[in-house]
Amino acid sequence: MTSDRDQNSGAVSHFVQLARGIVPPMHPAGRPFVAGAAVATLLLRRFSKRFGVAGALLTAWVAWFFREPARTTPTRPGLAVAPADGTVSHVVEAAPPAELGLGSAPMTRISVFLSVFDVHVQRVPVPGLVRQVSYRPGKFLSADLDKASEDNERNTVWLTSEGGHDVVVVQIAGLVARRIVCQVAEGDKVAVGQTYGLIRFGSRVDLYVPLGSRVLVEAGQRTIGGETVLAELPSEG
């Protein structure tokens, strides 16, 4: 016979699981910002209850901004999934970033614009090997402009997929974004959908896939990082 204590324990455990499903964990890069906002809230609370409430709301928003929700990633071979939440802003042919040394032959570039309301962690688009990571300083133009791919501060990751394809993903800063975080390095083996970085308070992510890939999204379409399939890669790498 089940005791009342066991029933209560089960109810609490069920509530905790539900809460975890609704409130996603926070990316570690956000912890200093949340801690700073919390300290500021305590200081403001000493002077004014109203300021303290405003500070608490700001702290909650910062924690929410750095959320890292769990995602269910498609595992079928040959897919390139969205590296970020956001809206597809451009689908064009363009040469990959010059700093990689991949030449001027065009690839298909799919650009995803992130608003301040989107999840801002970036996810690996294909399983494979990190060939190169390159950071380049630059401007802070509005990230929805096409020329932001060339002019803005960026961090570029060149991957070779398990199928032998070169795939490039680029974190691009914008008007508000001033810090790009990248957690992978040359030689790392990565899994599709894993979190690899974050753009603090910004802004755009470009995905380059080989010409001949079947693009499955259009400009204006919403994406879910780690879940939305952006393209099917060619059958041979």
Side-chain angles (χ1 to χ4, degrees):
M1 184 175 180
T2 304
S3 68
D4 290 341
R5 178 177 294 179
D6 290 338
Q7 289 179 345
N8 291 336
S9 177
V12 171
S13 176
H14 180 64
F15 176 80
V16 170
Q17 292 300 322
L18 288 175
R20 286 178 177 175
I22 296 171
V23 181
M26 182 174 60
H27 190 277
R31 291 171 185 168
F33 293 89
V34 174
V39 170
T41 297
L42 293 175
L43 294 175
L44 289 171
R45 181 64 179 81
R46 293 183 176 183
F47 297 99
S48 168
K49 182 180 292 185
R50 181 177 299 177
F51 288 166
V53 171
L57 292 174
L58 176 62
T59 302
W61 181 83
V62 172
W64 174 79
F65 179 89
F66 286 101
R67 64 199 184 279
E68 185 181 353
R71 295 288 164 78
T72 301
T73 302
T75 57
R76 180 164 66 85
L79 301 181
V81 303
D85 289 30
T87 302
V88 177
S89 56
H90 304 90
V91 179
V92 298
E93 291 186 10
E99 58 266 28
L100 296 180
L102 287 173
S104 59
M107 303 178 73
T108 299
R109 187 182 75 204
I110 306 169
S111 301
V112 177
F113 175 75
L114 291 72
S115 77
V116 294
F117 301 105
D118 287 313
V119 174
H120 276 67
V121 297
Q122 282 77 61
R123 300 174 188 271
V124 175
V126 296
L129 180 71
V130 177
R131 296 287 299 277
Q132 185 176 331
V133 179
S134 297
Y135 167 78
R136 198 198 75 167
K139 300 178 181 178
F140 296 95
L141 304 175
S142 178
D144 59 346
L145 299 175
D146 186 54
K147 63 181 179 179
S149 293
E150 296 295 331
D151 296 342
N152 281 23
E153 176 178 315
R154 67 189 185 216
N155 188 78
T156 302
V157 178
W158 169 18
L159 303 162
T160 297
S161 73
E162 291 180 344
H165 295 286
D166 288 325
V167 174
V168 176
V169 61
V170 188
Q171 300 163 288
I172 302 172
L175 281 173
V176 181
R178 300 286 160 158
R179 182 72 170 89
I180 296 174
V181 177
C182 181
Q183 299 166 308
V184 295
E186 181 179 338
D188 287 352
K189 291 184 177 181
V190 291
V192 61
Q194 80 176 62
T195 299
Y196 82 91
L198 176 143
I199 308 174
R200 291 178 184 169
F201 307 107
S203 202
R204 177 169 160 180
V205 180
D206 285 349
L207 176 68
Y208 292 78
V209 294
L211 288 182
S213 299
R214 182 187 176 199
V215 178
L216 301 177
V217 292
E218 297 182 0
Q221 183 173 336
R222 292 284 302 169
T223 64
I224 300 175
E227 291 193 356
T228 302
V229 178
L230 298 189
E232 294 179 347
L233 303 179
S235 57
E236 295 184 359

